[in-house]
């Protein structure tokens, strides 16, 4: 008879253990603010693109930068923020990040131009970078290891909750207030979160924190900004062979290669490149990045589909996106149970295949397709995402020791944000290029300067058509047809990327989890008793 396994002694103080679920609630509120902001903005982008006084008259490129200024700064600082949390204390860093995020939100609400909005969104990104990794790091330090998968599942479900609340909140605000209200709403939530944080959340830190890698941070941010700028510029010009576009993209890639080489040789790297020698870890990180690549790209063009082509209001658009969020809320906390039965590889790959199929399903959407079809697509997309995010988050977080929780969280979220930023840049540029290619022939009667502006996006074309009065009616139908074609092309690109990710997870993620020592002992005991 095998000796029964001795359970590990609890590592969490009893006082903290008793209030762990309340602490998780506070952490989810903090996470909610960060994710809520992007999901609210997604509904508001059409309004912001409207000329003053309704909006700011932002072009599609400026809209992409309003989103990516946040995500790129967020991604570039995440790992440094995680290390500062490990060094100074995660609670202190979390509270400081919330305060900066709230200040940036208040400034963004009062932006007088697209450039100001982009700058203030970058400030919000700085605050968010210090919030998100700290929430997951604190979680790992208030839950015992056996409860961590369940807690992470609920934490991931918080992302779904934010995706649900964001568009609806944004729609309600835009129906009753000016566009800046979608940012100002963050301020009272930040105040509540800070008060609860100070009252409930314990502080924790790494006893052996790493040194801050300022050179690595600078290289990663500069490289990503150059790369994304080149991709967005290529989409605006509908010409990726343009020398300025090629030079910028190549420069970004060169700087990022330099970043990797520097990190390999540094004794205090921002990102420990050796982690990626673990194929399971790398595949899990890649899967999360590609899920957000697809999600952010799809959300960007689906807002223009529902509002510009179908004529729905911001609030109606928010309600239409509810199935996407509801599915994540339903399935994310339960995904661990499916993993227990079928293994990480089968569940994650299945989720990615569903996501790819739903992206491809966008090609059946037309100007008069029954709207319930879009709702089914959104719901199944959310289900697929839930079965990717939860298991991969657990794999990533448990790959490193508990005291390195900030580093693991930062890595996960860095690649999540980079994936989202590249999704908006790449798929947004595909959308722009395909749209311009489809509408260009219909703009021949317009003056040359106006022709270029009108061809940049469906909103630009519709804006020109409105100024032309009855003479612009023919442009409206052409704009809708060109956008639908561009959306179909973009969706297929996203589907292809999701399928590539599914192949990677099949090859490298683990199958069913191995039996625990306790389970093996039980089986041996039963066998001995027969």
């Amino acid at each position: 008879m095998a000796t029964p396994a001795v359970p590990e002694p609890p590592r969490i103080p009893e006082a903290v253990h008793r209030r762990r679920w309340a602490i998780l609630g506070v952490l989810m509120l903090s996470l909610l603010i960060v994710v809520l902001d992007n999901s609210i903005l997604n509904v508001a982008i059409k309004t912001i693109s409207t000329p003053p006084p309704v909006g700011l008259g932002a072009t599609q490129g400026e809209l992409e930068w309003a989103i990516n200024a946040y995500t790129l700064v967020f991604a570039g600082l995440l790992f440094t923020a995680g290390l500062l949390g490990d060094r100074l204390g995660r609670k202190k860093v979390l509270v400081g990040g919330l305060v900066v995020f709230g200040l940036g939100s208040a400034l963004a609400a009062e932006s007088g131009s697209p450039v100001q909005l982009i700058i203030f969104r970058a400030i919000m990104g700085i605050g968010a970078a210090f919030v998100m990794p700290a929430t997951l790091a604190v979680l790992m330090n208030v839950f015992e290891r056996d409860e961590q998968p369940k807690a992470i599942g609920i934490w991931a479900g918080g992302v779904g909750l934010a995706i649900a609340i964001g568009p609806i909140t944004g729609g309600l605000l835009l129906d009753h207030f000016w566009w800046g209200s979608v940012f100002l709403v963050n301020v009272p939530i930040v105040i509540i979160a800070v008060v609860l944080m100070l009252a409930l959340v314990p502080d924790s830190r790494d006893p052996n924190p790493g040194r801050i890698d300022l050179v690595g941070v600078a290289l990663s941010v500069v490289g990503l900004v150059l790369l994304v700028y080149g991709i967005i510029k290529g989409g605006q010009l509908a010409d990726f062979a343009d020398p300025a576009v090629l030079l910028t993209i190549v420069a970004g890639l060169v700087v990022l290669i330099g970043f990797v080489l520097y990190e390999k040789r540094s004794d205090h790297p921002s990102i420990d490149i050796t982690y990626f020698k673990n194929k399971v870890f790398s595949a899990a990180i890649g899967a999360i990045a590609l899920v957000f690549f697809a999600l952010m790209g799809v959300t960007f063009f689906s807002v223009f589909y529902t509002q510009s082509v179908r004529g729905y209001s911001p609030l109606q658009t928010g309600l239409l996106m509810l199935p996407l969020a509801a599915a994540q809320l339903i399935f994310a906390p339960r995904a661990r149970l499916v993993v227990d039965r079928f293994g990480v590889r089968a569940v994650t790959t299945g989720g990615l295949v569903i996501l790819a199929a739903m992206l491809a399903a966008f090609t059946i959407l037309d100007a008069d397709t029954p709207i319930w079809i879009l709702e089914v697509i959104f719901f199944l997309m959310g289900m697929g995402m839930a079965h990717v995010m939860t298991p991969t988050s657990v794999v990533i977080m448990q790959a490193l020791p508990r005291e390195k929780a900030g580093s693991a969280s930062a890595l996960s979220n860095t690649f999540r944000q980079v994936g989202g930023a590249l999704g908006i840049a790449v798929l947004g540029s595909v959308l722009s290029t395909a749209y311009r290619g489809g509408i260009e022939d219909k703009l021949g009667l317009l003056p040359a300067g106006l022709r270029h502006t009108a061809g940049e996006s469906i909103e630009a074309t519709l804006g020109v058509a409105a100024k032309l009065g009855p003479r612009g009616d023919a442009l409206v139908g052409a704009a809708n047809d060109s956008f639908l074609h561009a959306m179909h092309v973009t969706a297929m690109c996203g589907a292809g990327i999701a399928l590539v990710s599914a192949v990677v997870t099949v090859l490298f993620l683990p199958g069913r989890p191995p039996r625990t020592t306790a389970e093996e002992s039980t089986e041996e005991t039963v066998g001995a008793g027969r």
Side-chain angles (χ1 to χ4, degrees):
M1 181 184 297
T3 305
V6 178
E8 286 187 22
R11 292 179 288 182
I12 310 298
E14 179 59 29
V16 173
H17 182 73
R18 282 200 306 269
R19 64 176 191 271
R20 65 195 185 283
W21 297 109
I23 293 170
L24 179 59
V26 179
L27 296 177
M28 286 181 65
L29 180 61
S30 304
L31 175 70
L32 186 77
I33 303 166
V34 173
V35 182
L36 182 80
D37 178 71
N38 261 345
S39 59
I40 282 182
L41 180 59
N42 285 332
V43 173
I45 54 178
K46 181 181 181 298
T47 305
I48 294 172
S49 69
T50 306
V54 175
L56 291 176
T59 65
Q60 181 164 314
E62 287 168 337
L63 289 174
E64 290 177 35
W65 274 113
I67 298 171
N68 281 339
Y70 177 86
T71 53
L72 287 176
V73 172
F74 193 174
L77 294 179
L78 268 171
F79 208 88
T80 297
L83 286 174
L84 281 173
D86 291 343
R87 177 183 291 274
L88 303 176
R90 284 118 188 187
K91 178 178 179 177
K92 296 184 186 72
V93 165
L94 189 46
V95 170
L98 285 169
V99 171
V100 172
F101 185 85
L103 177 64
S105 298
L107 292 171
E110 299 299 326
S111 299
S113 69
V115 172
Q116 287 184 8
L117 178 61
I118 291 167
I119 293 169
F120 296 142
R121 288 277 297 160
I123 293 174
M124 293 171 67
I126 294 171
F130 286 85
V131 172
M132 187 172 270
T135 62
L136 200 46
V138 170
L139 181 154
M140 299 298 284
N141 279 275
V142 298
F143 284 90
E144 297 291 351
R145 192 170 182 86
D146 61 333
E147 283 190 321
Q148 285 173 4
K150 181 179 180 182
I152 290 174
I154 296 170
W155 179 88
V159 175
L161 181 63
I163 293 173
I165 294 174
I168 296 170
T169 304
L172 284 168
L173 290 169
L174 291 171
D175 272 5
H176 295 92
F177 304 101
W178 93 115
W179 64 266
S181 62
V182 302
F183 299 111
L184 197 60
V185 72
N186 292 330
V187 176
I189 304 175
V190 163
I191 293 170
I192 293 168
V194 167
V195 171
L196 292 174
M197 191 78 58
L198 293 173
L200 290 173
V201 176
D203 208 352
S204 63
R205 65 183 71 195
D206 185 346
N208 300 299
R211 288 159 55 198
I212 304 302
D213 176 22
L214 295 178
V215 175
V217 171
L219 287 173
S220 64
V221 173
V222 170
L224 284 169
V225 168
L226 285 172
L227 177 62
V228 169
Y229 178 83
I231 293 169
I232 291 175
K233 191 67 177 175
Q236 285 178 326
L237 299 175
D239 182 11
F240 283 88
D242 182 89
V245 171
L246 281 176
L247 186 63
T248 308
I249 291 174
V250 170
L253 291 173
V254 168
V255 172
L256 289 175
I257 291 169
F259 165 71
V260 172
L261 294 176
Y262 178 82
E263 296 300 283
K264 288 178 73 173
R265 296 177 182 178
S266 174
D267 59 356
H268 58 286
S270 286
I271 296 178
D272 191 337
I273 304 299
T274 59
Y275 293 154
F276 294 92
K277 292 180 179 178
N278 182 329
K279 293 178 181 178
V280 171
F281 181 83
S282 297
I285 285 277
I288 278 188
L290 288 171
V291 161
F292 272 77
F293 182 102
L295 174 68
M296 295 301 288
V298 167
T299 305
F300 188 79
F301 68 66
S302 65
V303 169
F304 287 103
Y305 170 70
T306 54
Q307 293 188 40
S308 299
V309 177
R310 301 301 296 264
Y312 289 103
S313 70
L315 176 56
Q316 289 170 326
T317 297
L319 292 170
L320 287 173
M321 295 177 72
L322 197 55
L324 177 67
Q328 290 189 64
L329 280 173
I330 293 167
F331 293 106
R334 295 169 174 80
R336 65 188 180 85
L337 303 175
V338 187
V339 171
D340 288 344
R341 181 165 183 178
F342 298 105
V344 172
R345 181 195 303 140
V347 174
T348 305
T349 303
L352 286 165
V353 169
I354 291 171
L355 181 61
M358 292 307 102
L359 285 167
F362 269 86
T363 59
I364 68 174
L365 297 179
D366 214 331
D368 54 1
T369 303
I371 204 65
W372 64 264
I373 294 177
L374 177 64
E375 300 299 88
V376 171
I377 291 172
F378 274 153
F379 184 82
L380 293 176
M381 276 186 69
M383 183 177 75
M385 286 180 59
H387 288 91
V388 176
M389 288 173 57
T390 299
T392 51
S393 294
V394 173
V395 167
I396 292 164
M397 292 306 294
Q398 294 192 341
L400 300 181
R402 175 194 293 258
E403 61 272 13
K404 299 295 182 185
S407 301
S409 173
L411 267 173
S412 172
N413 286 295
T414 295
F415 278 83
R416 188 184 310 224
Q417 295 302 320
V418 168
L422 289 175
I424 291 168
V426 173
L427 296 183
S429 293
V430 170
L431 187 73
S432 293
T433 303
Y435 180 78
R436 189 182 289 278
I439 196 69
E440 217 156 24
D441 292 342
K442 314 295 191 304
L443 303 175
L445 298 178
L446 298 176
L450 192 58
R451 194 184 312 147
H452 181 82
T453 302
E456 187 173 282
S457 68
I458 184 172
E459 276 306 299
T461 308
L462 295 177
V464 170
K467 290 177 183 176
L468 293 175
R471 292 183 301 143
D473 289 347
L475 277 182
V476 175
N480 287 342
D481 291 342
S482 298
F483 178 82
L484 288 168
H485 168 71
M487 183 179 78
H488 296 162
V489 171
T490 307
M492 287 306 296
C493 289
I497 289 164
L499 283 177
V500 169
S501 184
V503 171
V504 171
T505 57
V506 166
L507 294 175
F508 299 117
L509 286 187
R512 292 188 63 180
R515 293 177 300 174
T516 64
T517 305
E519 288 172 345
E520 291 171 354
S521 299
T522 301
E523 287 191 9
E524 289 175 14
T525 303
V526 171
R530 283 176 183 160

